[in-house]
Amino acid sequence: MAVVFEKPKSMADVTMHYCPGCTHGIIHRLVCEVIDEMGIEGDTIGICPVGCSVMAYDYFNCDMIEAAHGRAPAVATGVKRTNPDKFVFTYQGDGDLAAIGTAETVHAATRGENIVVIFVNNTTYGMTGGQMAPTTLPGQVTQTTPYGRDPKLAGYPIRVCEMLATLRGTALAQRVAVNTVPRIKEAKKAIRKAFENQRDKKGFSIVEVLSTCPTNWGLSPVDALKRLEDDMIPYYPLGVYKDADAFSEKEGE
Amino acid sequence: MAKITVNFEKCKGCALCTTACPKKIVELQKEKRNRKGYFTAVCIDDEKCIGCAMCATMCPDCAIIVEK
Amino acid sequence: MERNLMKGNEALAEAAIRAGCKCFFGYPITPQTEISAYLSKRFQKEGGIFLQAESEIAAINMVLGAASTGVRAMTSSSSPGISLKSEGISYIAGSDLPCVIINVQRGGPGLGGIQPSQADYWQATKALGHGDFQLLVYAPCSVQEMVDTVTKAFDLADEYRMPAMILADGLLGQMMEPVTFPEKKESFKDKPWAANGHGGKREHNIINSLYLQPDVLENSVKARFERYEDIKAKYAEAEMYLTDDADIIVTAYGATARVAKSAVNMAREQGIKAGLIRPITLWPFPVKEYQKAAETAKLFLCTEMSMGQMIDDVKLAINCSKPVEFYGRTGGVIPKPSEIFEEIKKYNGGAK
C-alpha cells in the first residue's frame, strides 16, 4: 500500500502547542501543502504574528521571522521589496490583523504588496485567554464582553475581506472555513491561488480562514465546528470578494 | 484495502476526525491515555476503511497517516 | 574626491547610499523629510528600494523585515516619530538585527516644535524601548561628520548585529556645508543568519525575539551585553579641544558643541583656561576622556539643548569627582556663544 496522506515536508515534525481541536493546525498544514506542491520551501519566508500562532516559526520549515503584534504586513513588505523573487507570506490572527495591525493590513493591500496574507479569524484573542476581538460577533460572550458584545458599547465586528476588496491593490480577497472536509479543500485551493498570484505579481492576496477556538469559546472541539457553521458563517459569508490582477490596465480585471 | 495509522503521542483526542469519517469507523478509544493524558483516535474496523483520508484532512495535528 | 556643498539631511541620505544601504522606509516629519525626498530620487536610479510607509511604526517594521534578510536598511525620523518606532527598535535589538536609524531631533515633548533640540538624549542612550538593550548612538556636529558617522554606523551595526542611531538635530539637518563622500561600498560580509530563503542548502533561519523560557531569554540578553562591553572598550569616541591645561571644561555634543567651542575660544582670548570635550559616540559614552580630563580640570560645564540629560553621564563618568555645572536652552532655542561664555566666566570666579 502507498501512503496517500501524511504530514507535508515543509511542516516541522513536532507536536504543536495548539489546544486540542484548534483548527490552526489544519491551516498550517494547508499552507505547507501548497508550499510543497509548488516546490518553493527554499524560496519562502514566513512572517508570524503575536497571538496563538506566535510560535509558528517552529512549525514551518522555511525561513521565518517573528513580527511585532500587528506589524507582519509591514515586515513582509520590507522582506518582499528587498527580495522580490522570494515568496513571502504572513500568518496572522484577527487581533493581529484587524485590530492593532489594521493600518499595516490596509496599506499593504492598497500598495498591492505582492505578498500572501493568511488571516485566521476565530473571533477571539486566544493566546491571552479569550478577550473580545475585532471580529467578535454581536452578543458573543468573551472575557471583556462578559454580558455579550453590545454594539452600542463595543461596536461591530469587521468584515475584512469585504473591506479590502474595495482597494485596487487587492488581487485576491477570499473567505474560507476549515470546519468541514469540503471546505478545507476549498481553503487549500484559495491558498494555492494566493501563492500563484504572488508568483504572477498580481498584487496583494488575503485568504481569511474562519477557524475555531474550543478553549475560549467554552465548547468541545466538535461543538466548536458547529458554532463556526451556525454563528460565524452567517455574519462572515464565505466566498471570493475580489479576484483580479491588481495591476491590470482596467481596475477589477 | 486501505489503512490509517494514528500517532498515539501526537493525537490530542479532539475527535474532529470522528466527525469526518464517511464510514463512521473512527472513534476515540477509551482504554489507554497517551503521555499527555488524551484518549486517542483509532479506526474500529480496518476492513471498512476506503482510504479517503477525510479523517486525516480534518486532523489539526497531522497525527493520521493514510495508506491505500 | 570632489567636495560639494550639501544640506545635512541630504548628506545623511547620500552617505547611506555610499555605505551600501539597499532600502529606506520613511515617513514625512519636519525637520528631516529631505532624507526621504532625496532617497526617493536617488534610489530610483541607484537600484535601491525607497518606500514611504503609512506610519513610522510601519517603517521601522519594514526595516526589521529587510534587515532580517541580511540587507542594509535605514529609516529616519524626528523625535515624535522616533517615539513611535521604539517598540520596533526594541524588537530589532532583541532579534539581533543591524540597521541605521536617524533622529533629526526637534523640540519636545509632545508635538513640541520644529526647531533643533537635544532632548532625546535619554531616549536614545537609556531607553529607546522596553527591555535591556542599547543602541550605538553617534552624535555628529557637522555635515562631514554626519557622512562619517553614517558610514561607521552601518559597519558597526553589521559587525555587532545591532541597531545604530545617528542623533542629529534640525540645525545640522538643515544647514549646508562642504562635504566629501567615500566610494560606494560594494562588498559586504556574509550573513549566514539571514532569513532570505534557505534554498535547500541550510537549516531554516528564524529571526525572532521571543524566548518564553526565562533562562534562554536571559542568555540571549547576556550575550548581547558581552558584545556591548566589547564595543565600550573599542569604539567610544570624543574630540578633546584645549583640555590639557583647561581649568573649566565645557562639554557638549552635536550643534551645541560648535557654539560651546566658540565660547571656549572667547574665554581663551580673555586668558581664561577653558577647553571642550565633545562626545562623538553617546553610546558607548567616552568615559576615559572625561576621567583623564577630571585629573586636571577644576570644573565641568555641561551645555545642552535640553533641560540637562547628558549631564548625568558626565557625572557618572567622573564619579562626581569634580563639580559638573549645567547651562541649557530647550524648546528649540539655540544658545549663543556669548551665553555660554557668560557661564564660563561665572564659574571662573568672574573675569580675570
Side-chain angles (χ1 to χ4, degrees):
Chain A
M1 285 195 290
V3 170
V4 292
F5 191 103
E6 61 181 334
K7 179 187 73 55
K9 268 191 247 39
S10 53
M11 194 169 185
D13 190 9
V14 295
T15 300
M16 293 184 277
H17 73 286
Y18 298 116
C19 307
C22 165
T23 48
H24 259 306
I26 297 175
I27 303 164
H28 279 37
R29 190 190 73 236
L30 297 182
V31 175
C32 290
E33 282 172 359
V34 167
I35 288 174
D36 279 8
E37 283 155 23
M38 292 177 75
I40 54 174
E41 182 192 313
D43 294 319
T44 301
I45 299 147
I47 323 284
C48 25
V50 171
C52 282
S53 48
V54 66
M55 288 171 280
Y57 50 77
D58 282 335
Y59 303 148
F60 290 97
N61 284 335
C62 57
D63 278 355
M64 295 297 290
I65 300 170
E66 179 63 57
H69 193 34
R71 315 309 173 193
V75 172
T77 299
V79 173
K80 184 70 180 185
R81 291 291 176 121
T82 52
N83 298 266
D85 55 357
K86 298 291 193 248
F87 284 85
V88 182
F89 74 91
T90 74
Y91 187 102
Q92 300 174 254
D94 38 44
D96 193 274
L97 181 135
I100 189 171
T102 313
E104 282 75 10
T105 304
V106 167
H107 282 275
T110 203
R111 283 195 303 265
E113 214 61 56
N114 234 312
I115 58 176
V116 167
V117 170
I118 307 295
F119 165 36
V120 179
N121 175 1
N122 63 7
T123 74
T124 188
Y125 279 83
M127 172 66 90
T128 43
Q131 294 72 28
M132 179 187 85
T135 50
T136 290
L137 298 175
Q140 181 180 335
V141 171
T142 72
Q143 281 221 323
T144 45
T145 56
Y147 311 110
R149 179 175 190 170
D150 175 356
K152 290 199 191 62
L153 296 179
Y156 289 96
I158 299 173
R159 294 189 180 101
V160 170
C161 276
E162 291 84 335
M163 181 173 74
L164 297 181
T166 66
L167 300 173
R168 180 146 190 206
T170 302
L172 176 72
Q174 181 171 353
R175 181 178 298 123
V176 295
V178 282
N179 62 329
T180 68
V181 173
R183 291 223 176 94
I184 291 172
K185 293 196 163 129
E186 187 58 28
K188 179 174 174 177
K189 274 203 225 95
I191 293 169
R192 173 74 190 236
K193 181 167 178 54
F195 273 88
E196 282 172 355
N197 275 356
Q198 178 167 169
R199 182 195 58 205
D200 305 336
K201 298 189 173 37
K202 288 190 174 171
F204 180 83
S205 300
I206 180 166
V207 177
E208 176 179 352
V209 189
L210 300 186
S211 186
T212 63
C213 180
T215 302
N216 290 303
W217 291 358
L219 296 172
S220 76
V222 171
D223 292 347
L225 299 182
K226 197 166 178 320
R227 189 250 171 181
L228 190 155
E229 187 73 33
D230 300 344
D231 295 0
M232 288 178 67
I233 289 182
Y235 192 89
Y236 299 109
L238 307 184
V240 177
Y241 291 86
K242 182 128 190 241
D243 181 2
D245 176 346
F247 298 103
S248 62
E249 283 313 306
K250 227 161 116 331
E251 183 173 359
E253 245 147 50
Chain B
M1 252 304 280
K3 186 167 77 90
I4 70 166
T5 315
V6 178
N7 182 316
F8 182 69
E9 288 309 332
K10 253 186 153 186
C11 172
K12 293 177 183 167
C14 73
L16 293 195
C17 51
T18 65
T19 67
C21 176
K23 299 292 177 189
K24 294 280 168 262
I25 52 170
V26 179
E27 287 170 7
L28 295 188
Q29 50 82 14
K30 294 282 190 255
E31 285 77 35
K32 199 162 164 301
R33 293 177 189 276
N34 68 9
R35 227 174 340 156
K36 285 199 173 75
Y38 296 122
F39 285 121
T40 59
V42 67
C43 174
I44 53 169
D45 186 346
D46 288 343
E47 297 308 318
K48 293 208 184 90
C49 175
I50 57 171
C52 67
M54 288 174 78
C55 57
T57 304
M58 203 64 219
C59 173
D61 287 283
C62 281
I64 303 175
I65 290 175
V66 183
E67 292 161 291
K68 204 171 170 181
Chain C
M1 281 195 286
E2 33 45 70
R3 283 158 65 99
N4 30 32
L5 195 59
M6 218 164 177
K7 182 181 253 193
N9 280 335
E10 290 176 351
L12 284 167
E14 184 61 32
I17 294 176
R18 301 300 177 99
C21 174
K22 264 287 169 301
C23 57
F24 177 86
F25 304 99
Y27 190 83
I29 182 166
T30 302
Q32 58 78 58
T33 317
E34 293 87 350
I35 298 174
S36 286
Y38 186 86
L39 286 173
S40 67
K41 282 198 291 270
R42 291 274 288 130
F43 264 153
Q44 227 87 15
K45 305 257 176 330
E46 287 282 324
I49 310 285
F50 167 81
L51 185 60
Q52 181 174 310
E54 59 270 26
S55 72
E56 288 93 342
I57 296 171
I60 192 69
N61 281 287
M62 290 174 187
V63 165
L64 186 144
S68 298
T69 70
V71 158
R72 282 193 166 187
M74 182 167 93
T75 184
S76 78
S77 189
S78 173
S79 309
I82 300 295
S83 297
L84 286 172
K85 292 179 192 289
S86 59
E87 184 202 31
I89 292 168
S90 176
Y91 272 67
I92 286 170
S95 309
D96 292 319
L97 290 172
C99 74
V100 171
I101 301 142
I102 297 177
N103 180 4
V104 182
Q105 296 172 89
R106 60 188 262 175
L111 195 47
I114 56 168
Q115 298 300 324
S117 154
Q118 296 181 319
D120 302 350
Y121 176 94
W122 277 338
Q123 179 190 50
T125 58
K126 299 291 176 280
L128 195 55
H130 57 284
D132 294 312
F133 75 94
Q134 292 286 171
L135 267 78
L136 285 157
V137 182
Y138 289 92
C141 83
S142 69
V143 175
Q144 183 60 54
E145 204 170 46
M146 287 164 120
V147 171
D148 306 338
T149 50
V150 164
T151 312
K152 275 183 226 167
F154 270 110
D155 288 341
L156 277 191
D158 271 0
E159 188 184 339
Y160 287 92
R161 287 179 64 179
M162 65 189 286
M165 173 172 276
I166 309 296
L167 194 59
D169 60 61
L171 194 144
L172 293 168
Q174 294 298 332
M175 72 179 176
M176 294 182 81
E177 280 182 332
V179 65
T180 56
F181 291 97
E183 282 312 306
K184 185 171 181 193
K185 188 176 172 69
E186 301 291 355
S187 67
F188 304 93
K189 267 204 321 218
D190 184 31
K191 292 177 179 173
W193 48 263
N196 48 16
H198 61 58
K201 300 190 189 75
R202 57 168 168 73
E203 286 299 310
H204 76 156
N205 282 337
I206 301 175
I207 303 294
N208 164 49
S209 59
L210 174 73
Y211 300 95
L212 288 178
Q213 293 85 358
D215 50 353
V216 176
L217 178 54
E218 184 179 49
N219 292 340
S220 92
V221 173
K222 283 186 171 172
R224 223 162 279 129
F225 272 70
E226 269 162 37
R227 298 206 296 273
Y228 295 160
E229 287 315 307
D230 199 42
I231 294 169
K232 283 185 199 168
K234 291 182 192 152
Y235 294 104
E237 270 183 80
E239 179 196 352
M240 309 286 276
Y241 178 71
L242 306 180
T243 51
D244 292 344
D245 68 337
D247 296 332
I248 294 177
I249 291 187
V250 185
T251 181
Y253 70 91
T256 314
R258 302 170 70 122
V259 175
K261 191 176 266 187
S262 309
V264 163
N265 291 337
M266 290 161 78
R268 283 281 174 170
E269 275 149 29
Q270 297 212 351
I272 301 170
K273 285 197 222 142
L276 170 74
I277 298 181
R278 178 177 72 87
I280 297 166
T281 56
L282 299 181
W283 193 90
F285 196 68
V287 172
K288 289 196 204 67
E289 282 79 355
Y290 282 96
Q291 283 167 348
K292 182 166 169 301
E295 285 156 13
T296 52
K298 293 200 182 67
L299 173 137
F300 289 83
L301 172 60
C302 183
T303 60
E304 298 173 66
M305 287 195 280
S306 71
M307 296 304 286
Q309 296 186 15
M310 183 173 78
I311 186 168
D312 294 355
D313 283 338
V314 174
K315 288 179 179 173
L316 278 172
I318 62 170
N319 261 324
C320 297
S321 56
K322 290 285 172 64
V324 183
E325 302 301 342
F326 176 73
Y327 181 78
R329 302 300 299 268
T330 194
V333 175
I334 303 165
K336 291 192 277 307
S338 53
E339 292 171 57
I340 298 176
F341 177 42
E342 285 312 313
E343 291 298 307
I344 293 173
K345 280 191 284 183
K346 189 168 93 183
Y347 294 111
N348 190 45
K352 269 254 167 343

